[in-house]
Short mmCIF file of all heavy atoms in Angstrom, two decimals:
data_model
loop_
_atom_site.label_atom_id
_atom_site.label_comp_id
_atom_site.label_asym_id
_atom_site.label_seq_id
_atom_site.Cartn_x
_atom_site.Cartn_y
_atom_site.Cartn_z
N THR A 1 -15.77 49.95 30.57
CA THR A 1 -16.38 48.79 30.02
C THR A 1 -16.12 48.56 28.54
O THR A 1 -16.31 47.40 28.07
CB THR A 1 -17.88 48.86 30.24
OG1 THR A 1 -18.47 49.98 29.66
CG2 THR A 1 -18.25 48.76 31.74
N ARG A 2 -15.79 49.63 27.80
CA ARG A 2 -15.68 49.39 26.41
C ARG A 2 -14.80 50.55 25.85
O ARG A 2 -14.89 51.66 26.35
CB ARG A 2 -17.06 49.45 25.74
CG ARG A 2 -16.97 48.96 24.25
CD ARG A 2 -18.31 48.52 23.70
NE ARG A 2 -19.18 49.67 23.26
CZ ARG A 2 -20.24 50.04 23.88
NH1 ARG A 2 -20.68 49.43 24.96
NH2 ARG A 2 -20.98 51.13 23.41
N VAL A 3 -14.04 50.19 24.85
CA VAL A 3 -13.34 51.15 24.05
C VAL A 3 -13.78 51.01 22.62
O VAL A 3 -13.72 49.95 22.02
CB VAL A 3 -11.82 50.96 24.16
CG1 VAL A 3 -11.01 51.83 23.19
CG2 VAL A 3 -11.33 51.18 25.60
N GLU A 4 -14.17 52.09 21.99
CA GLU A 4 -14.57 52.16 20.55
C GLU A 4 -13.42 52.84 19.80
O GLU A 4 -13.39 54.08 19.86
CB GLU A 4 -15.94 52.84 20.40
CG GLU A 4 -17.10 52.12 21.07
CD GLU A 4 -18.40 52.79 20.79
OE1 GLU A 4 -18.46 53.85 20.16
OE2 GLU A 4 -19.48 52.24 21.26
N LEU A 5 -12.67 52.05 19.14
CA LEU A 5 -11.56 52.65 18.44
C LEU A 5 -11.98 53.49 17.30
O LEU A 5 -11.34 54.57 17.11
CB LEU A 5 -10.62 51.49 17.96
CG LEU A 5 -10.06 50.55 19.03
CD1 LEU A 5 -9.29 49.44 18.38
CD2 LEU A 5 -9.18 51.30 20.03
N GLY A 6 -12.93 53.08 16.51
CA GLY A 6 -13.41 53.87 15.40
C GLY A 6 -13.90 55.20 15.81
O GLY A 6 -13.64 56.27 15.14
N GLY A 7 -14.73 55.28 16.89
CA GLY A 7 -15.32 56.52 17.33
C GLY A 7 -14.44 57.30 18.37
O GLY A 7 -14.76 58.35 18.79
N ARG A 8 -13.24 56.71 18.64
CA ARG A 8 -12.33 57.29 19.65
C ARG A 8 -13.04 57.65 20.93
O ARG A 8 -13.03 58.76 21.47
CB ARG A 8 -11.73 58.55 19.06
CG ARG A 8 -10.66 58.22 17.92
CD ARG A 8 -10.13 59.48 17.32
NE ARG A 8 -9.10 59.23 16.39
CZ ARG A 8 -7.78 59.35 16.53
NH1 ARG A 8 -7.37 59.84 17.68
NH2 ARG A 8 -6.92 59.08 15.64
N LEU A 9 -13.73 56.55 21.46
CA LEU A 9 -14.51 56.78 22.69
C LEU A 9 -14.14 55.71 23.73
O LEU A 9 -13.85 54.56 23.45
CB LEU A 9 -15.95 56.63 22.42
CG LEU A 9 -16.75 57.78 21.80
CD1 LEU A 9 -18.21 57.37 21.51
CD2 LEU A 9 -16.70 58.98 22.71
N VAL A 10 -14.17 56.15 25.02
CA VAL A 10 -14.08 55.20 26.09
C VAL A 10 -15.39 55.36 26.89
O VAL A 10 -15.82 56.43 27.18
CB VAL A 10 -12.89 55.67 27.01
CG1 VAL A 10 -12.90 54.89 28.36
CG2 VAL A 10 -11.59 55.38 26.40
N LEU A 11 -15.97 54.17 27.24
CA LEU A 11 -17.22 54.11 27.90
C LEU A 11 -17.01 53.48 29.32
O LEU A 11 -16.37 52.48 29.43
CB LEU A 11 -18.29 53.32 27.15
CG LEU A 11 -18.74 54.00 25.81
CD1 LEU A 11 -17.74 53.70 24.70
CD2 LEU A 11 -20.17 53.52 25.47
N ASP A 12 -17.62 54.17 30.31
CA ASP A 12 -17.51 53.57 31.68
C ASP A 12 -18.77 52.87 32.10
O ASP A 12 -19.82 52.90 31.40
CB ASP A 12 -17.10 54.74 32.64
CG ASP A 12 -18.17 55.70 32.86
OD1 ASP A 12 -19.31 55.40 32.91
OD2 ASP A 12 -17.82 56.95 32.95
N ALA A 13 -18.71 52.21 33.29
CA ALA A 13 -19.81 51.43 33.73
C ALA A 13 -21.06 52.17 34.06
O ALA A 13 -22.14 51.67 34.11
CB ALA A 13 -19.36 50.67 35.02
N SER A 14 -20.90 53.54 34.28
CA SER A 14 -22.10 54.35 34.56
C SER A 14 -22.70 54.89 33.29
O SER A 14 -23.69 55.63 33.32
CB SER A 14 -21.62 55.49 35.44
OG SER A 14 -21.16 55.08 36.69
N GLY A 15 -22.18 54.52 32.11
CA GLY A 15 -22.72 54.92 30.82
C GLY A 15 -22.17 56.16 30.31
O GLY A 15 -22.52 56.73 29.28
N GLY A 16 -21.11 56.71 31.05
CA GLY A 16 -20.34 57.86 30.55
C GLY A 16 -19.62 57.57 29.31
O GLY A 16 -18.99 56.54 29.13
N GLU A 17 -19.56 58.56 28.33
CA GLU A 17 -18.78 58.39 27.13
C GLU A 17 -17.73 59.53 27.13
O GLU A 17 -18.00 60.74 27.37
CB GLU A 17 -19.70 58.57 25.89
CG GLU A 17 -20.75 57.54 25.76
CD GLU A 17 -21.55 57.64 24.46
OE1 GLU A 17 -21.35 58.62 23.72
OE2 GLU A 17 -22.37 56.76 24.16
N HIS A 18 -16.49 59.07 26.87
CA HIS A 18 -15.34 60.00 26.99
C HIS A 18 -14.50 59.95 25.69
O HIS A 18 -13.80 58.91 25.51
CB HIS A 18 -14.48 59.57 28.16
CG HIS A 18 -15.39 59.38 29.43
ND1 HIS A 18 -15.75 60.42 30.25
CD2 HIS A 18 -15.90 58.22 29.96
CE1 HIS A 18 -16.47 59.91 31.25
NE2 HIS A 18 -16.57 58.60 31.12
N PRO A 19 -14.54 60.93 24.91
CA PRO A 19 -13.69 61.01 23.70
C PRO A 19 -12.27 61.17 24.03
O PRO A 19 -11.92 61.76 25.03
CB PRO A 19 -14.27 62.16 22.95
CG PRO A 19 -14.88 63.04 23.93
CD PRO A 19 -15.39 62.17 25.05
N TYR A 20 -11.42 60.67 23.15
CA TYR A 20 -9.97 60.85 23.34
C TYR A 20 -9.32 61.24 22.04
O TYR A 20 -9.76 60.88 20.92
CB TYR A 20 -9.36 59.55 23.89
CG TYR A 20 -9.38 58.42 22.97
CD1 TYR A 20 -8.42 58.20 21.95
CD2 TYR A 20 -10.35 57.41 23.07
CE1 TYR A 20 -8.42 57.11 21.10
CE2 TYR A 20 -10.42 56.32 22.21
CZ TYR A 20 -9.48 56.19 21.28
OH TYR A 20 -9.48 55.09 20.42
N ASP A 21 -8.24 61.95 22.11
CA ASP A 21 -7.27 62.10 20.98
C ASP A 21 -6.11 61.16 21.06
O ASP A 21 -5.59 60.69 19.98
CB ASP A 21 -6.77 63.58 20.96
CG ASP A 21 -7.91 64.61 20.75
OD1 ASP A 21 -8.63 64.39 19.82
OD2 ASP A 21 -7.91 65.58 21.51
N ARG A 22 -5.64 60.91 22.21
CA ARG A 22 -4.67 59.82 22.51
C ARG A 22 -5.30 58.95 23.70
O ARG A 22 -5.81 59.50 24.57
CB ARG A 22 -3.35 60.34 22.95
CG ARG A 22 -2.77 61.31 21.98
CD ARG A 22 -1.95 60.72 20.88
NE ARG A 22 -1.24 61.77 20.12
CZ ARG A 22 -1.74 62.61 19.22
NH1 ARG A 22 -2.98 62.46 18.84
NH2 ARG A 22 -0.98 63.56 18.64
N LEU A 23 -4.99 57.69 23.60
CA LEU A 23 -5.48 56.77 24.58
C LEU A 23 -4.30 55.80 25.01
O LEU A 23 -3.64 55.25 24.19
CB LEU A 23 -6.62 55.91 24.05
CG LEU A 23 -7.10 54.69 24.96
CD1 LEU A 23 -7.77 55.24 26.20
CD2 LEU A 23 -8.08 53.80 24.15
N LEU A 24 -4.14 55.68 26.33
CA LEU A 24 -3.20 54.79 26.92
C LEU A 24 -3.90 53.75 27.75
O LEU A 24 -4.68 54.08 28.67
CB LEU A 24 -2.19 55.55 27.82
CG LEU A 24 -1.20 54.67 28.60
CD1 LEU A 24 -0.25 53.92 27.65
CD2 LEU A 24 -0.40 55.51 29.61
N LEU A 25 -3.67 52.50 27.35
CA LEU A 25 -4.17 51.39 28.19
C LEU A 25 -3.11 50.84 29.12
O LEU A 25 -2.02 50.48 28.57
CB LEU A 25 -4.64 50.25 27.21
CG LEU A 25 -5.81 50.57 26.21
CD1 LEU A 25 -6.09 49.40 25.25
CD2 LEU A 25 -7.10 51.11 27.00
N ALA A 26 -3.44 50.86 30.35
CA ALA A 26 -2.47 50.40 31.38
C ALA A 26 -3.27 49.65 32.47
O ALA A 26 -3.21 50.04 33.66
CB ALA A 26 -1.73 51.54 31.98
N THR A 27 -3.92 48.61 32.03
CA THR A 27 -4.93 47.95 32.97
C THR A 27 -4.26 46.91 33.81
O THR A 27 -4.96 46.31 34.56
CB THR A 27 -6.05 47.27 32.04
OG1 THR A 27 -5.44 46.65 30.90
CG2 THR A 27 -6.94 48.39 31.53
N GLY A 28 -2.99 46.70 33.75
CA GLY A 28 -2.35 45.75 34.66
C GLY A 28 -2.65 44.28 34.55
O GLY A 28 -2.97 43.84 33.54
N SER A 29 -2.48 43.61 35.68
CA SER A 29 -2.66 42.17 35.79
C SER A 29 -3.60 41.76 36.88
O SER A 29 -3.86 42.57 37.76
CB SER A 29 -1.35 41.48 35.97
OG SER A 29 -0.42 41.65 34.95
N LYS A 30 -4.06 40.58 36.85
CA LYS A 30 -4.88 39.95 37.89
C LYS A 30 -4.24 38.70 38.28
O LYS A 30 -3.69 37.94 37.48
CB LYS A 30 -6.33 39.79 37.53
CG LYS A 30 -6.54 38.84 36.29
CD LYS A 30 -8.02 38.73 35.94
CE LYS A 30 -8.12 37.89 34.76
NZ LYS A 30 -9.60 37.80 34.26
N PRO A 31 -4.34 38.36 39.56
CA PRO A 31 -3.71 37.08 40.02
C PRO A 31 -4.35 35.91 39.43
O PRO A 31 -5.60 35.82 39.17
CB PRO A 31 -3.99 37.03 41.54
CG PRO A 31 -4.28 38.44 41.92
CD PRO A 31 -4.91 39.05 40.73
N ARG A 32 -3.57 34.89 38.96
CA ARG A 32 -4.12 33.63 38.52
C ARG A 32 -4.77 32.81 39.60
O ARG A 32 -4.27 32.88 40.75
CB ARG A 32 -3.02 32.76 37.79
CG ARG A 32 -2.39 33.51 36.60
CD ARG A 32 -1.51 32.55 35.88
NE ARG A 32 -0.73 33.32 34.79
CZ ARG A 32 -1.19 33.45 33.57
NH1 ARG A 32 -2.38 32.99 33.29
NH2 ARG A 32 -0.48 34.13 32.73
N SER A 33 -5.82 32.07 39.32
CA SER A 33 -6.42 31.28 40.29
C SER A 33 -6.10 29.84 39.96
O SER A 33 -5.40 29.49 38.99
CB SER A 33 -7.99 31.47 40.26
OG SER A 33 -8.47 31.11 38.94
N LEU A 34 -6.57 28.89 40.84
CA LEU A 34 -6.46 27.45 40.63
C LEU A 34 -7.72 26.79 40.37
O LEU A 34 -8.66 26.98 41.21
CB LEU A 34 -5.75 26.85 41.82
CG LEU A 34 -4.23 27.18 42.11
CD1 LEU A 34 -3.76 26.56 43.41
CD2 LEU A 34 -3.39 26.73 40.93
N PRO A 35 -7.89 26.22 39.22
CA PRO A 35 -9.17 25.63 38.91
C PRO A 35 -9.41 24.29 39.58
O PRO A 35 -9.44 23.16 38.91
CB PRO A 35 -9.13 25.49 37.43
CG PRO A 35 -7.64 25.28 37.08
CD PRO A 35 -6.93 26.05 38.15
N VAL A 36 -9.40 24.19 40.91
CA VAL A 36 -9.57 22.99 41.67
C VAL A 36 -10.68 23.09 42.63
O VAL A 36 -11.16 24.30 42.98
CB VAL A 36 -8.25 22.61 42.39
CG1 VAL A 36 -7.11 22.41 41.40
CG2 VAL A 36 -7.93 23.66 43.45
N ARG A 37 -11.15 22.03 43.09
CA ARG A 37 -12.24 22.01 44.10
C ARG A 37 -11.87 22.75 45.39
O ARG A 37 -10.78 22.55 45.85
CB ARG A 37 -12.71 20.57 44.40
CG ARG A 37 -13.93 20.37 45.29
CD ARG A 37 -14.32 19.01 45.43
NE ARG A 37 -13.21 18.25 46.00
CZ ARG A 37 -13.18 16.91 46.09
NH1 ARG A 37 -14.24 16.18 45.65
NH2 ARG A 37 -12.20 16.29 46.52
N GLY A 38 -12.78 23.53 45.89
CA GLY A 38 -12.53 24.20 47.17
C GLY A 38 -11.83 25.52 47.01
O GLY A 38 -11.59 26.20 48.05
N ALA A 39 -11.52 25.99 45.87
CA ALA A 39 -10.83 27.24 45.65
C ALA A 39 -11.61 28.47 46.09
O ALA A 39 -10.99 29.58 46.26
CB ALA A 39 -10.38 27.39 44.18
N ASP A 40 -12.93 28.31 46.32
CA ASP A 40 -13.67 29.41 46.85
C ASP A 40 -13.90 29.45 48.27
O ASP A 40 -14.69 30.33 48.82
CB ASP A 40 -15.02 29.47 46.08
CG ASP A 40 -15.87 28.14 46.26
OD1 ASP A 40 -15.24 27.17 46.86
OD2 ASP A 40 -17.00 28.09 46.00
N LEU A 41 -13.26 28.64 49.04
CA LEU A 41 -13.39 28.57 50.50
C LEU A 41 -12.84 29.88 51.13
O LEU A 41 -11.86 30.47 50.63
CB LEU A 41 -12.67 27.42 51.10
CG LEU A 41 -13.28 26.03 50.85
CD1 LEU A 41 -12.26 24.93 51.11
CD2 LEU A 41 -14.50 25.86 51.62
N ALA A 42 -13.39 30.28 52.23
CA ALA A 42 -12.87 31.48 53.03
C ALA A 42 -11.56 31.09 53.53
O ALA A 42 -11.25 29.90 53.89
CB ALA A 42 -13.89 31.79 54.15
N GLY A 43 -10.69 32.09 53.62
CA GLY A 43 -9.37 31.86 54.08
C GLY A 43 -8.37 31.65 52.99
O GLY A 43 -7.13 31.50 53.24
N ILE A 44 -8.84 31.55 51.70
CA ILE A 44 -7.94 31.46 50.55
C ILE A 44 -7.80 32.88 49.92
O ILE A 44 -8.80 33.49 49.61
CB ILE A 44 -8.42 30.37 49.62
CG1 ILE A 44 -8.55 29.03 50.23
CG2 ILE A 44 -7.52 30.43 48.31
CD1 ILE A 44 -9.02 27.92 49.31
#
């Protein structure tokens, strides 16, 4: 959920704090959506 660069910390959704000496961010991509009516229908 958060990276604190100054404190060299990575925080996860459960509240865990994880210090690092080196950090690699490789969070990838997410599909783009279409901002049109009906885009939340089942089957899409």
Side-chain angles (χ1 to χ4, degrees):
T1 56
R2 192 161 83 248
V3 173
E4 294 184 357
L5 300 176
R8 291 176 174 255
L9 280 177
V10 168
L11 291 84
D12 65 38
S14 300
E17 297 185 354
H18 311 277
Y20 65 83
D21 296 311
R22 307 273 191 277
L23 172 65
L24 175 63
L25 298 176
T27 45
S29 296
K30 60 182 177 182
R32 296 186 188 276
S33 58
L34 290 176
V36 299
R37 185 176 56 189
D40 58 347
L41 289 167
I44 298 178

